Structure formats: structure tokens, C-alpha cells
């Protein structure tokens, strides 16, 4: 069977599902963050395959912007995790059970 | 026809590698160290850029490796080393959490396959679009010039925010 749009969409969705699973079952902030990256990448893959199979380049420009925003998001998020670790000495969501620093 | 068969085989190889490495990022049965997760995230990213190459998105494949495998993973590893997460290996995945996660993800996957089965994807019969640097750059500097500039401001804001956050006495 020839590889088409539905094959790429299936891979993209399975990748998204794995990222979601990671966010739900893992309790370490950094591993949860990596799972978020997996989900972002799954969206990128879906956009690139739509762009290819609809014969338009706009989807790839959108992916370029998503990669940029994701890089900024990772920098800010990891800085937040480091600031939190300085205050609380932990990176586990189960130890972070109060809103007050 | 022969090249099409090669592309199909390459697609299945890259897809299997991507999903396998993604499973090992999320739930590695042998090693629960975050450093191992980060390493498998690199492998996921690299095999995904292989998928991008198969979709003729050459520029994005290069950017994917440069930005993710280069910058993002280095940042992750740097923070992991800084935080000293030894105790992570002692903690178990909670049974109830795993069941809830698998159940919800299984249901959402079922919904997806149902939708995919019922949609008419309306593919272009012979896609000719090429995501090389020249055509993408032309689009980026004509039609998408405003978002491009806004994104550069966003990067500046993120940089200032990170510097503020990592100051010694966070006010």
C-alpha cells in the first residue's frame, strides 16, 4: 500500500498520544516537559504532511514559527523549573502542593 | 515506481524508530533517569527529521536538528545536571495514574482512528511542493514578514524573561 497522508497523520497522532501519556503518568517536571515537546513535534509533523499533500508551502512556514516559539517556551519553562527548584529543592509535581512559595 | 518503494520502506523505518524512541522517552522500563529520556528524545527528533525529508521539507529537517537536537536538548541536559535528580529513579509510576493515563489515551486514539476511517482526506494526486530554503525564505520575507518580525520580538522578550527569572533573589 502506497504511503499517503493518512500514514503520516497516524504517526503524528500516535506521537501526540505518547506525549499525552507521558504528561499524565510521569511526575517529574522535566520529563513532563519533554513529553510536551513530543506533542509539539507531533503537531509539526501533521502540519508538514498536510502542507505536502495539499501542495501548499504555508504549512511549513507555520511549522517554522512553531519551532521558534517552542524554543522560547523551553527556555522560559526551564528557567521557571530552576527558580522553583531553588525555592523548594524538588522537581516533582507531587511535592508541589501549595500555591505559596 | 522503484523509488516509490524505497520511500515507503524508509517511511516505515523512520516511523517505527520515531515511535519506539518516543515510547522510551515516556516510559523506559530499564532506566528511569531523565538523562536517558533526553537522549531518546534526541533520537526521536532525528528520526522525525528523516520523516520531514521524506515529505520534501528539507529546510525544516535541518532546522529541526539544529534547534531541537542542538539547542533544546542541550538546555534540557544542562538543567538536569544542575538539578541533580537522583531521587527520580527511586520513585515508581503510580498504578492508578498509569491506568488512568492508558485509558484516556486509548480512548482518544480510538476516536482518532474512527475519524480517520470516516474522512475523505482529499489528497493532491501528485504533490510537487518543495520545502527548500529558497522557496521557504521567499515566502517568509514577502507574505509572512510581519509574523517573522513579531517572532523576533518574542525571542527578545523570552531572553529578558529568562534573565529576570534566573536572578539570585527572585522578587
Amino acid at each position: 500500500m502506497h504511503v499517503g497522508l493518512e500514514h503520516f497523520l497516524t504517526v503524528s497522532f500516535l506521537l501526540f498520544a505518547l506525549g499525552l501519556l507521558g504528561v499524565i503518568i510521569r511526575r517529574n517536571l522535566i520529563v513532563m516537559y519533554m513529553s510536551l515537546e513530543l506533542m509539539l513535534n507531533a503537531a509539526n509533523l501533521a502540519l508538514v504532511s498536510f502542507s505536502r499533500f495539499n501542495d501548499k508551502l504555508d504549512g511549513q512556514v507555520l511549522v517554522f514559527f512553531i519551532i521558534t516559539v517552542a524554543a522560547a517556551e523551553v527556555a522560559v519553562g526551564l528557567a521557571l523549573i530552576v527558580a522553583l527548584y531553588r525555592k523548594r529543592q524538588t522537581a516533582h509535581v507531587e511535592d508541589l502542593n501549595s500555591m505559596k512559595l | 515506481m522503484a523509488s516509490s518503494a524505497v520511500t515507503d520502506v524508509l517511511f516505515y523505518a523512520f516511523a517505527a524508530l520515531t515511535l519506539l524512541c518516543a515510547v522510551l522517552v515516556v516510559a523506559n522500563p530499564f532506566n528511569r533517569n531523565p538523562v536517558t529520556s533526553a537522549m531518546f528524545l534526541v533520537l526521536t527528533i532525528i528520526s522525525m527529521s528523516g520523516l520531514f525529508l521524506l515529505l520534501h521539507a528539507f529546510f525544516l529537517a535541518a532546522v529541526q536538528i539544529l534547534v531541537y537536537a542542538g539547542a533544546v536538548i542541550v538546555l534540557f541536559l544542562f538543567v538536569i545536571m544542575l538539578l541533580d535528580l537522583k531521587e527520580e529513579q527511586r520513585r515508581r509510576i503510580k498504578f492508578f495514574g498509569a491506568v488512568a493515563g492508558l485509558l484516556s489515551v486509548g480512548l482518544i486514539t480510538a476516536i482518532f482512528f474512527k475519524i480517520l476511517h470516516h474522512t475523505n482526506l482529499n489528497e493532491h494526486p501528485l504533490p510537487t511542493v518543495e520545502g527548500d530554503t529558497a522557496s521557504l525564505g521567499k515566502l517568509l520575507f514577502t507574505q509572512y514578514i510581519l509574523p517573522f518580525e513579531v517572532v523576533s520580538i518574542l525571542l527578545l522578550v523570552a531572553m529578558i524573561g529568562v534573565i529576570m527569572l534566573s536572578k539570585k533573589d527572585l522578587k
Side-chain angles (χ1 to χ4, degrees):
Chain A
M1 190 177 165
H2 190 63
V3 170
L5 180 52
E6 69 267 26
H7 292 76
F8 281 99
L9 284 186
T10 306
V11 173
S12 154
F13 189 81
L14 289 177
L15 207 60
F16 186 88
L18 281 170
L20 183 62
L21 188 67
V23 173
I24 294 174
I25 68 173
R26 293 303 291 264
R27 302 285 77 180
N28 183 305
L29 270 177
I30 294 186
V31 180
M32 287 170 81
Y33 223 73
M34 287 183 209
S35 308
L36 281 179
E37 290 304 310
L38 278 185
M39 289 160 83
L40 270 170
N41 272 303
N44 283 350
L45 183 60
L47 279 170
V48 173
S49 45
F50 277 130
S51 152
R52 169 77 179 159
F53 288 103
N54 284 303
D55 222 15
K56 285 201 180 78
L57 208 54
D58 300 58
Q60 298 195 10
V61 180
L62 188 54
V63 170
F64 176 77
F65 288 129
I66 292 176
I67 289 177
T68 322
V69 173
E73 173 242 338
V74 166
V76 175
L78 287 176
L80 279 172
I81 291 176
V82 170
L84 192 69
Y85 189 85
R86 276 210 200 118
K87 288 268 184 204
R88 294 292 197 77
Q89 308 300 319
T90 181
H92 258 271
V93 281
E94 278 161 2
D95 301 338
L96 305 169
N97 46 15
S98 107
M99 296 274 276
K100 236 177 116 190
L101 267 181
Chain B
M1 203 58 213
S3 77
S4 149
V6 171
T7 349
D8 285 7
V9 170
L10 278 176
F11 167 78
Y12 286 115
F14 280 130
L17 197 60
T18 308
L19 291 176
L20 182 73
C21 294
V23 168
L24 290 174
V25 170
V26 169
N28 193 335
F30 309 110
N31 191 341
R32 299 168 40 68
N33 197 334
V35 178
T36 323
S37 288
M39 288 308 168
F40 278 111
L41 189 58
V42 176
L43 280 180
T44 314
I45 298 297
I46 290 174
S47 41
M48 247 186 87
S49 77
L51 287 179
F52 281 7
L53 284 180
L54 289 181
L55 287 165
H56 292 240
F58 307 115
F59 177 69
L60 285 179
V63 165
Q64 176 92 349
I65 287 186
L66 282 178
V67 174
Y68 273 104
V72 169
I73 300 295
V74 168
L75 214 57
F76 267 114
L77 284 177
F78 182 69
V79 170
I80 292 169
M81 304 289 177
L82 199 68
L83 296 194
D84 182 33
L85 300 168
K86 279 279 187 291
E87 77 196 78
E88 165 67 10
Q89 300 182 40
R90 288 202 302 273
R91 302 215 185 194
R92 314 280 317 157
I93 291 177
K94 291 232 166 59
F95 175 72
F96 182 71
V99 169
L102 285 174
L103 197 67
S104 50
V105 169
L107 282 176
I108 209 171
T109 313
I111 292 173
F112 167 75
F113 280 112
K114 194 89 181 160
I115 291 173
L116 191 68
H117 187 70
H118 285 282
T119 353
N120 175 23
L121 281 173
N122 200 10
E123 283 180 40
H124 203 273
L126 276 172
T128 52
V129 66
E130 296 282 321
D132 56 327
T133 316
S135 48
L136 212 64
K138 209 172 279 170
L139 208 55
L140 208 55
F141 282 103
T142 53
Q143 196 183 342
Y144 290 94
I145 186 74
L146 182 65
F148 186 75
E149 298 295 337
V150 172
V151 152
S152 70
I153 296 175
L154 176 80
L155 283 176
L156 179 70
V157 170
M159 193 172 76
I160 297 171
V162 169
I163 292 171
M164 284 304 291
L165 278 173
S166 26
K167 277 171 74 167
K168 209 69 187 171
D169 45 345
L170 189 62
K171 284 280 181 297

